[in-house]
Every structure is written in structure tokens, then in C-alpha cells.
Amino acid sequence: MSDIAANYTKEKKVGEGTYAVVYLGKQVKTKKLIAVKEIKTGMFKDGLDMSAIREVKYLLELRHENIISLLDVYSSENGNLNLVLEFLPCDLEVLIKDKNIVFQQADVKSWMLMILRGVHHCHRNYILHRDLKPNNLLISPTGEIKIADFGLARSLGSPGENLTANVVTIWYRAPELLFGSRHYTSSVDVWSVGIIFAELMLRTPYLPGTSDAEQLEVTFRALGTPTEKNWPNVSKLPWYNSLKIYPPPTRNELKNRFIAASGSALDLMISLTQLDPAKRCSCEEALQTVYFTEFPRPTKPKDLPKKSS
Amino acid sequence: MADQQYFKSSVQISRPFLTSKAVKFLQKKTIPDYQTYKQRISHVLSFLLSLTRLLKFPSRTLESAMLYYQRYYLFNHFSTSSNIDVAIAALFIASKNEDTIKKLRDIIAIANPLRNAPNTNEAIEENKKVILNFEKKMLETISFDFRTYHIDELLIRIAKDLKLSVDLTYLAYMIAFDSFQTEVSLKTPQHATAIACIIIAAKFREENSVFPLNSAKYKCDRALVNEALFEILELYINNYNYGSLADMYPNDKESFIKIRINIKNEINLKDLDERSLLNDGFYNIKNYNVSDTGSARYMLGNQEKRFYEEVDAQENYKESTEPKKVKLH
């Protein structure tokens, strides 16, 4: 151990969640803005929260331009753990909800590209994020998407290991999770990315269920009910029972729902939201589709729409 | 800004593995009677094993708990009055980090009967406070470094790659379990330990077709494997009855001595000299006052370059203000 002069200031409280308080501050040397996430601990919290452990564990090692960087880990005077993160003033949900902003096709493409690159980086390091949603996709002052909130992340389970199905906010939850599967892979994140893609085009949540049961209903009404025919062995999953059978949507129906989507955009969305996780594409495959190489070119991050204030 | 506050801090880097000398050097400061400590480790392992079974934790949780327990006593004073609480805290952190979380209350309620402690509501609450306090200290001791690898996972993969028989792999697996009570996890990474377990199993069974075993294929330095080999064999030679092989092969202690003699000329890791240990601030006993009065900052080894840059900058600053300085590496 050695004494190091003060590095950061903590200035203003900007938010509070169940397990952390977030402050705005500065890196003293560079005057750069930072966010400090102070983890609450205490008798009733059973020690250090597991989300904090996960966040520290994965963010300390992941370095990517589309993933939030964890600059430092501190324990402060009061014994609480502090995570110093880069400061990101906006998130994708804010932009989606801001009706004063018009999204161009090229903007959506640019965001999708950055999201997929970030998620791909997690997956190639065998890390599942498990909570992808617009509100966890933060936006830097220069317009870059940064994937944040690794509180539910975990490394890919080894075969035979049981994982919990109770992950991902329900609107973005893949069907295998809705069926209570204890074994799943990075394809759960791919599904979330597909639903976010749909939301970027619709400007409203694509599958907004209000409960676990209704989420199944909403999901399958939009994308068809999985059967043994299009998803072998699906009926063996724990919560697969007494489902109302909806036919899968035809391409035309999807075309009508996503009016502005080009053919290749629709293709990409369809392969991201395949019901059978084995048929869903990987991030790598998604990044190599024609959608990203055809015109229009993705907007440069600095030219993307910003929060109107 | 009115409520602006500055962090005053110290910084600590995580070093997941230490040399034998460094381990001895630290234990000399924290453990008054090494013999008692050794006996306790074997007891702690069997205690945590029973607890792990009742809680239905996988063996990887037990493995991490044993590592945290031993690591804790490199930097904190050992005492037999609290070592079981420390062990429970270690298992609790491991259960969080290995995604097998259970409420601390539930863990204590199952642990108390095992250690003949009262299991009333008040006792559990009291216990919880004690253990959460140890949890905090332990997290600081491990520098919030939650990276984990597991011997058995790697062992099985390497055994498959070597096309070992199930029988031989099982023996290696049992040796890996016994290694939890040695200090091998403080010293060598898990793939080296896994290869060492396979080597011991194969030598013991005289299955020579396994050799020569090219550890480089598994990205592992031979000296690391040898380090792990010596460490594990020491358990069988000095405390055969503590290991689980004693139940399976009660009369075979001699063969381990023979294995050890046959490899006595193998090279192991270069160790540090005493002076570099004395001059390195890392090897100081944990002083919680630093994080009580200022704040402590934690880094993983992947930031080592930045760590030394900051430390050197600080050293230069100190040099200009005070005559005496302590060098850190």
C-alpha cells in the first residue's frame, strides 16, 4: 500500500437505485467528468451486493469503446464500495421517448452497429450481459453507445451448470427464458438486441407485457407460437404448457408493421428474433449482414441525434 | 460546489499468486503457531465440505472459499477463536462470486449445529454481524479481485484431451480436492495445479503412457507445474492422513515419497530474495485504518503499469518533501 494523492471529486448526487447511489464528479488531474456509484452496504443487505460483485468482476477486465469503462474501485471512509465510471449523460431510452427527434435509417443503423459491437465483445469473452435494454445503453457526449449495468452479467455456464431463468427485463426476455430454461447461451442477449432494434424502428416498446404470463402472450402474438416443428424439444421446457397457438407472422405482415425498414433490415431483425435460440444468429453473424454494408452508411456517432433540451 | 469532497486514498494492486517465500514471509507475521494453523486448515476443509453438501453448493464454491480463507490469513492475524467465522465469511463470498448465492442467515443456521454453536434467532443475528465484518475485511484483502478459475474444470478438460481413463481421472480429481488444503492455490494458477494432479495420479498408478506430458500444450510453464507438484506431494508425505487418498489407499504413503524423490532434481520457480520482500509495501499486514480514515483503491494486475507509474510519481513527490523513503518494488 502507498498513499496516493486525491484523484477524484464527488460533487452532486444524480440518482439513487436499490443498491447504489450515483454521484457526479471530476477526475482532479484531467478535469474530466466522472460518475461515482457508491454501493450501499449494511446489515439488511447481506453484505456486499452480488450485482456489485458482478459489475466489478466483469467491468474491470472488459475494455471496449462500446462498453462503459470502470476507471477505479475504491472503498471510502464510511466503508462503502465506490465504482468510478466514465460519465455518460444520456441513454437510448431517453432518445426513443423524445418525440422531437426524428430517427433516420442511418441513425438506427449506427446505433445497432455500436450495440452489436459491444455485445459481441462481451460474448467473445464468454460473458452474458443478461439485462440489455435501451435504458442500459448509455450515450457518451460524442454520441457513442456504451453498454452499462453489468449487475446481472455472468460468464457462460459450463455444461450441466444450472443458470437462473429470471433474468432480463421482461420486455426484452427471450422465449427460452420465458419458458424457464436453466441452460442458455449468449443468444438471450441477441434476442434483446433484436427487440431493441424493433423498438428503434417503432419508437415504442415492441413487446410490452405487464406480467410473465402476458409476456408470453404478447411475444407469440407478434412472432408466432413456437411448436415442436419450428423449435425441436421446446415442449420439454418447464413452463411450456397450454399455449394459445398463433401462426408465425408472414414477411408481408412484418413489412407492414415496420414500414420504413429495408429488406435487409427486416432480414436482420428476423434472424435476431428467431424463437429457437439455436437458429438465432450470433452477434458476429449479425455484424456481417448486408444491412451494415449497404446504403445508407451508418451515421457518424458525433452526428447522431442528441437529447433536445 | 458546497458539498464537494475529495478522496484521499491509498492504492493496492491485486497479486493473485505469490511465491513460496512470500507466503512464508507473510505467514510468519500473521500466524503465531504454524502447526495449529495447518491442523485447522484440514478441519476447516472438512467443516466447509459438510456445509457445502448441506447447502448443495458445487465444489467450485468450496474451492474458492478455501482460497479466500487462506488468502485472508496472509494479511490478517490468525486466531483459533475466530477462524471458523472467517471460514464462513469465505464461503459466503464464494457463494456470491460463483453464482450459488444463499442468504447469510440460512448459511449460519446450517453452520451453527455443525460447529455446536447455539442456533437461536439472537445468536444468528449476532453471528451475522461478526461474519459481515469479516466479509468486508476479506474483500479488501482479496483486492476486490473476483476472477476465478477452477482446478477440476480444467483437470477434466485436460484429462479428456490426454484421453485418460475415467478411473485415472477420478484419482486426479480426488488429488485436486485434497489440494484445497494445501497452499497451492496461493502459489500457482489452476491449470498448473490440474496438470500436477494428473501427473501425481499417473505416477501413483504407474501409467507411464501419460508421459512425457507436454504442459506447454496447455499454455503452462513446466516450472509452475513442478511448483504445484512439490506443494501437493508435501501434503501426502507429511500429513497423509489429512488427505482423502488415505481412505482409498491406506498403506501407500511410501509411493508418494518415491515420486517426490524421483523428481527432486526438477526445476521449480525462481523465488524472491528477502530484501525485495521487506521493501515491498504489498507485504505489509493489512491496516484497515487506511480505509477507515482515507479511502483505499483497488486494481487488478492488468493495470500494473499504471500502478507503478502512480507509485513512482508519489515516491518522487515524497522524496522532495521528506528525506526517508520506502521503495515499493
Side-chain angles (χ1 to χ4, degrees), chain A residues 23-35:
Chain A
Y23 298 90
L24 187 62
K26 273 200 197 94
Q27 186 165 29
V28 173
K29 220 192 311 180
T30 59
K31 302 269 183 262
K32 259 210 282 213
L33 286 173
I34 47 120

Side-chain angles (χ1 to χ4, degrees), chain B residues 312-327:
Chain B
D312 286 343
Q314 183 67 15
E315 292 299 315
N316 293 338
Y317 171 75
K318 262 193 191 159
E319 221 170 330
S320 61
T321 50
E322 50 187 91
K324 202 167 147 274
K325 64 166 183 166
V326 189
K327 215 165 158 52

